[in-house]
Amino acid sequence: MNSSSILSIVTFVYGLSALLYIICLIFRKDAPGRAATWTAILGVAGNILGVGLRWVESYQLGYGHAPLSNLYESLVFFAWAIVTIYLFVERRYKNRVIGAFTMPLAFLAMAYASLSPNISDRIQPLIPALKSNWLIAHVITCFLGYAGFAIAFGISLMYVVRERPGGQGPVSSRFPEPATLDDLTHKMVQFGFLFLSIGIITGAVWANSAWGRYWGWDPKETWSLITWFVYATLLHARLMRGWRGRKIAYISILGFMAVLFTYFGVNLLPGLHSYGAQ
Amino acid sequence: MKTEGDAPRASSRFWRLLISIRLTVFLLLSLAATSIIGTLVPQNASPQDYVRAYGEFLYRLFYVLDVFDMYHSWWFQTLLVLLTANIVACSIDRLSSLWETVFVKTPGFRLSAFRKLKDRESFSVQGSADALEARYAAAAARRFTYTRTEKTGEGFCIFAEKGRWTRLGVYIVHFSVVFLLMGGLIGSIFGFDGFVNIPEGETVQAVRLRSGGGEQPLEFAIRCDDFQVSFYETGAPKEYRSSLVILEEGEEVLQKDIIVNDPLRYRGINIFQSSYGKIPGDLKATLEKGISLSFTSRASGMVYRETALVGKPVALPEGGGTFTVKELLPSYRFMGQQDLGETLVGSLASPDGGTTEVKLPIRFSRFDKMRKDARFVIAVDEVVEERYYTGLQVTSDPGVPLVYAGFVLMILGCIVTFFMSHQRLCIDVVGRGRKTMVTVSGAANKNRAGIQATVRQMSRRLNALDRG
């Protein structure tokens, strides 16, 4: 059993957990909720095991590097970060409804990594540009930030659904209070913003040690800055202008679109040089 | 009167605009929106590429608007300068009043305000209030940086607080942004960003600048002794390694192998492994040392090898006369048509006194076979080996320390702003006959859940203190 097959199984474990959270929300039953939490914990354990095994395998292949070096590995870490942070939120707020909106995101990330024909799960050797200790710090902080924003996105969606004109449906009335959702969005955005900032900074320091410039307006860099600007706007509007609720939820959703574009969309842009290719 | 009255009003209106959060949000969103353009339109490409991609009209429009180098355009830089001005103005405006709040000697404290707070916990104990004072004050002092005990009519109250300075957190973040922009400015004025290709064995004293294409002389020379590239079995590159030597006035002062991610830094100049390539061997140098020629006898089929120098006749075997290398042509058009590239020219003197000019294109070793009535077919034997050159990125950026200081401040400032708060707590102890009522209440500038937890913990701790 290799790491790829373990991580494929984790994909389905996350999928099952997401389904259980949704069932728990719709049928207002406790049992599927508890099962959903335990399934998610099992998935996290499997995720850690898969990543650890992949690390060992990379040494066995003679490459020897942390499993954070390509799209597949980053998606696997992204999914792990989403579920882990979510489980902390669930424990803290004692509410499983949010799981119905965040667990599917982790499932989608894992499913994209495992099932997309365009993403190779082969362990590849590191090209010279990626051989740096900054790689680990940069990737981990960026994706913790992205995961924070992903959960904020899920919660903002809940806010928009709950507070939509035309009143609450039978399902959305079970969501947490709007004030709680708003506060949680803010907390998750703060968490994401801190880690996105550290991620950009570690990337800049790394770029300076590899290429001699800490900022080069590369499309990926620029889009991460655009994302940073969007969330900075959210924080200022909330703190200084007192924006709450729906407006904040919309900016949070917009911010997550910028995150997705930074992550995936940049590869579609015309670039004079491809990222990391030396 | 009118002019005197208008001037301050206009300037105060300008100041109000400059310190407005509206301007901040406008600038942040404008920077975000305009930054997108530069990721959609490739930057600093050649005009031909742009005309091909966008057509003549759009090309001219984009050119006028600096879209092709937009992050350095006047309008984008203006947005950045405005953002800096906005941050500085906001900080001046709010910091001047906040400063007195933060660095106050004896923090203000009104018991009546605390008695109205919702976040509170109460319990009652047996005995008089006075007996509790010392123990409660010690317990509060252990958890808070500032405590003060005041007598009240029916007992006493302890006021405690911590994290007053964390109110400055957001300004730490703001100043970090100013640091970043200043560092960037210093780098763009006093630094340079250049590149140079050094063939193995050669030395350079200057580099070419990336923007403008000028030359930047260096205070020292860089020699590349060796360049090596290695590959994985998959064919992907594994390592680029250049062996560099720094020379000052001809003296070797430093030797280092650089690879990507491990640059050489010397006297404020950073030298990075950036690219590499191959160059054809240097024929002229080979010629000076002697070039190897082969003479194939048509009569016997024997191949003879000789090393020839320019102008020195070489005696041919089998009584074939002499051959003299005359010069190296950089190019040679055969019959006025095809360019055969670098070509050696020699003259063949036969024993009977006649001379023939012989052309030997380096790259076409069988070219001489076409010569009619020749006793020998001559060829340049040695295919001169290709050499590597290493491509180095050479930069100097005196703004980096300021930028890095900005990075550290930004991270610290975000942590303080997001996760720390100014917590104020009041332990209100009121004697009621033989019983004493203890009420713990608290307030914070943010994170209400945090102060609620603090109030609960303090209340529980005091209660336990009393029983134990």
Side-chain angles (χ1 to χ4, degrees):
Chain A
M1 186 113 136
N2 65 4
S3 62
S4 294
S5 50
I6 290 181
L7 292 169
S8 302
I9 295 169
V10 169
T11 307
F12 291 101
V13 175
Y14 283 163
L16 177 67
S17 171
L19 194 67
L20 288 169
Y21 275 117
I22 293 168
I23 290 172
C24 164
L25 169 66
I26 293 174
F27 297 102
R28 208 195 290 207
K29 288 276 192 301
D30 242 13
R34 271 199 303 279
T37 305
W38 284 108
T39 312
I41 292 170
L42 186 73
V44 166
N47 203 333
I48 294 171
L49 185 72
V51 170
L53 191 58
R54 195 177 167 87
W55 205 330
V56 172
E57 284 167 4
S58 103
Y59 273 90
Q60 284 165 350
L61 281 170
Y63 303 145
H65 61 78
L68 298 165
S69 68
N70 58 22
L71 188 55
Y72 175 83
E73 291 170 349
S74 69
L75 279 165
V76 168
F77 182 79
F78 184 40
W80 174 84
I82 291 174
V83 180
T84 306
I85 296 169
Y86 163 69
L87 285 173
F88 273 105
V89 172
E90 180 187 300
R91 205 179 140 73
R92 182 81 180 269
Y93 285 79
K94 306 202 173 15
N95 191 312
R96 291 205 171 91
V97 178
I98 298 163
F101 281 80
T102 50
M103 211 59 209
L105 297 174
F107 167 67
L108 285 176
M110 277 303 268
Y112 184 45
S114 298
L115 304 176
S116 167
N118 301 325
I119 298 176
S120 163
D121 63 356
R122 283 213 358 247
I123 298 177
Q124 291 140 333
L126 285 185
I127 58 168
L130 294 181
K131 280 185 182 167
S132 167
N133 290 332
W134 288 107
L135 172 72
I136 296 176
H138 178 60
V139 175
I140 286 181
T141 50
C142 281
F143 282 96
L144 282 178
Y146 287 1
F149 293 142
I151 296 173
F153 164 75
I155 297 167
S156 300
L157 274 188
M158 292 173 81
Y159 190 98
V160 173
V161 170
R162 192 184 201 277
E163 297 297 290
R164 69 183 181 278
Q168 297 166 12
V171 172
S172 60
S173 62
R174 273 167 239 164
F175 291 178
E177 287 299 304
T180 310
L181 291 174
D182 181 64
D183 182 56
L184 207 47
T185 299
H186 182 225
K187 284 207 164 76
M188 283 296 130
V189 167
Q190 284 184 329
F191 176 88
F193 191 80
L194 173 68
F195 279 99
L196 177 65
S197 301
I198 301 177
I200 293 175
I201 287 169
T202 50
V205 174
W206 182 12
N208 194 36
S209 73
W211 297 299
R213 54 170 100 89
Y214 52 84
W215 194 259
W217 295 107
D218 175 282
K220 192 114 184 164
E221 288 172 357
T222 308
W223 270 97
S224 69
L225 186 67
I226 291 167
T227 306
W228 194 86
F229 282 144
V230 172
Y231 284 108
T233 307
L234 184 153
L235 292 172
H236 282 89
R238 193 174 193 281
L239 245 64
M240 300 305 295
R241 302 284 298 174
W243 286 19
R244 289 288 185 278
R246 188 189 304 277
K247 280 183 186 169
I248 292 294
Y250 281 140
I251 305 179
S252 160
I253 291 168
L254 177 72
F256 191 63
M257 297 300 114
V259 168
L260 290 180
F261 199 84
T262 309
Y263 195 3
F264 305 111
V266 166
N267 304 330
L268 310 172
L269 290 174
L272 294 175
H273 55 285
S274 64
Y275 212 65
Q278 183 90 15
Chain B
M1 282 302 281
K2 201 182 173 201
T3 48
E4 276 173 28
D6 274 355
R9 211 178 301 154
S11 70
S12 81
R13 201 179 301 148
F14 175 72
W15 179 253
R16 272 209 303 281
L17 174 72
L18 205 56
I19 61 169
S20 68
I21 195 76
R22 245 177 244 276
L23 181 67
T24 316
V25 169
F26 168 78
L27 288 171
L28 286 174
L29 289 180
S30 302
L31 282 166
T34 53
S35 291
I36 297 173
I37 300 169
T39 68
L40 298 175
V41 178
Q43 299 288 291
N44 296 308
S46 72
Q48 292 92 313
D49 290 345
Y50 286 134
V51 174
R52 211 178 308 127
Y54 301 111
E56 188 74 23
F57 173 75
L58 270 182
Y59 169 73
R60 276 171 197 280
L61 184 70
F62 285 0
Y63 182 81
V64 169
L65 294 173
D66 271 343
V67 170
F68 300 131
D69 191 16
M70 65 149 279
Y71 301 111
H72 303 101
S73 68
W74 62 269
W75 53 267
F76 194 77
Q77 304 268 358
T78 306
L79 286 177
L80 287 176
V81 169
L82 278 176
L83 184 67
T84 317
N86 180 237
I87 290 170
V88 171
C90 284
S91 300
I92 290 171
D93 182 58
R94 273 145 229 179
L95 211 47
S96 55
S97 60
L98 186 64
W99 201 259
E100 285 166 25
T101 315
V102 170
F103 294 101
V104 68
K105 280 238 171 62
T106 42
F109 158 61
R110 282 202 344 268
L111 184 60
S112 56
F114 276 96
R115 281 186 170 160
K116 283 187 205 128
L117 287 177
K118 281 201 183 114
D119 294 327
R120 60 202 290 127
E121 299 262 326
S122 299
F123 59 92
S124 67
V125 291
Q126 300 289 334
S128 74
D130 292 344
L132 302 170
E133 188 176 329
R135 278 187 289 161
Y136 278 19
R142 220 172 297 137
R143 299 280 156 181
F144 289 85
T145 51
Y146 177 88
T147 54
R148 187 167 84 215
T149 310
E150 282 177 10
K151 293 278 174 206
T152 56
E154 314 98 315
F156 67 93
C157 67
I158 299 169
F159 167 63
E161 69 161 19
K162 64 179 172 187
R164 183 170 278 264
W165 64 276
T166 63
R167 287 175 180 269
L168 294 172
V170 69
Y171 300 97
I172 300 176
V173 180
H174 284 175
F175 278 111
S176 79
V177 175
V178 176
F179 271 47
L180 298 182
L181 294 168
M182 296 257 290
L185 190 68
I186 288 174
S188 68
I189 294 171
F190 299 106
F192 66 82
D193 182 2
F195 65 95
V196 64
N197 293 336
I198 316 179
E200 287 174 307
E202 292 187 20
T203 306
V204 296
Q205 190 86 54
V207 298
R208 188 154 295 282
L209 294 176
R210 282 208 191 265
S211 56
E215 272 224 333
Q216 170 75 34
L218 300 176
E219 291 172 347
F220 51 85
I222 311 168
R223 191 178 73 211
C224 173
D225 283 345
D226 187 33
F227 175 82
Q228 285 184 348
V229 54
S230 54
F231 297 92
Y232 293 104
E233 284 163 18
T234 60
K238 185 176 186 181
E239 185 181 80
Y240 309 109
R241 179 180 288 271
S242 300
S243 300
L244 301 184
V245 173
I246 301 291
L247 302 132
E248 291 217 53
E249 292 167 9
E251 293 272 313
E252 293 187 9
V253 290
L254 187 66
Q255 196 283 326
K256 184 177 156 80
D257 283 12
I258 65 164
I259 57 175
V260 182
N261 277 309
D262 186 16
L264 168 62
R265 301 183 197 275
Y266 186 71
R267 287 179 53 168
I269 310 265
N270 310 304
I271 302 164
F272 299 87
Q273 181 68 53
S274 162
S275 65
Y276 76 101
K278 280 179 181 172
I279 41 168
D282 186 353
L283 264 177
K284 277 202 177 121
T286 314
L287 204 53
E288 279 170 23
K289 283 183 276 176
I291 191 161
S292 172
L293 302 175
S294 71
F295 302 88
T296 309
S297 166
R298 281 191 195 263
S300 64
M302 290 285 287
V303 181
Y304 303 93
R305 289 212 152 76
E306 296 287 345
T307 304
L309 289 162
V310 178
K312 289 261 174 73
V314 175
L316 298 184
E318 300 178 13
T322 60
F323 179 77
T324 314
V325 174
K326 285 163 76 182
E327 61 174 333
L328 181 71
L329 297 175
S331 69
Y332 166 55
R333 283 190 185 280
F334 179 55
M335 317 276 285
Q337 295 286 316
Q338 198 193 348
D339 184 3
L340 301 182
E342 284 182 305
T343 299
L344 204 64
V345 185
S347 78
L348 188 65
S350 56
D352 54 26
T355 55
T356 324
E357 194 179 64
V358 182
K359 297 248 177 19
L360 305 171
I362 308 288
R363 275 190 279 144
F364 300 91
S365 60
R366 297 191 309 193
F367 181 79
D368 197 46
K369 279 192 177 158
M370 292 194 298
R371 190 156 51 88
K372 295 243 168 64
D373 308 325
R375 287 183 61 186
F376 289 95
V377 175
I378 310 171
V380 177
D381 204 30
E382 190 173 293
V383 179
V384 183
E385 262 185 44
E386 289 174 319
R387 283 188 301 166
Y388 279 117
Y389 68 83
T390 182
L392 303 178
Q393 166 103 359
V394 182
T395 67
S396 162
D397 191 343
V400 163
L402 208 55
V403 171
Y404 279 20
F407 285 165
V408 173
L409 283 181
M410 174 168 289
I411 295 172
L412 294 179
C414 278
I415 291 173
V416 172
T417 310
F418 294 157
F419 305 117
M420 294 169 90
S421 59
H422 176 199
Q423 294 194 336
R424 302 163 84 238
L425 195 88
C426 174
I427 305 169
D428 187 9
V429 182
V430 179
R432 292 260 162 78
R434 298 175 63 185
K435 270 192 173 176
T436 304
M437 273 297 287
V438 181
T439 305
V440 182
S441 55
N445 62 332
K446 58 199 166 206
N447 189 12
R448 184 145 176 227
I451 188 68
Q452 284 168 345
T454 307
V455 166
R456 258 198 317 277
Q457 279 165 16
M458 183 56 82
S459 163
R460 213 175 303 147
R461 200 164 286 127
L462 294 180
N463 204 351
L465 198 70
D466 203 68
R467 289 173 210 285

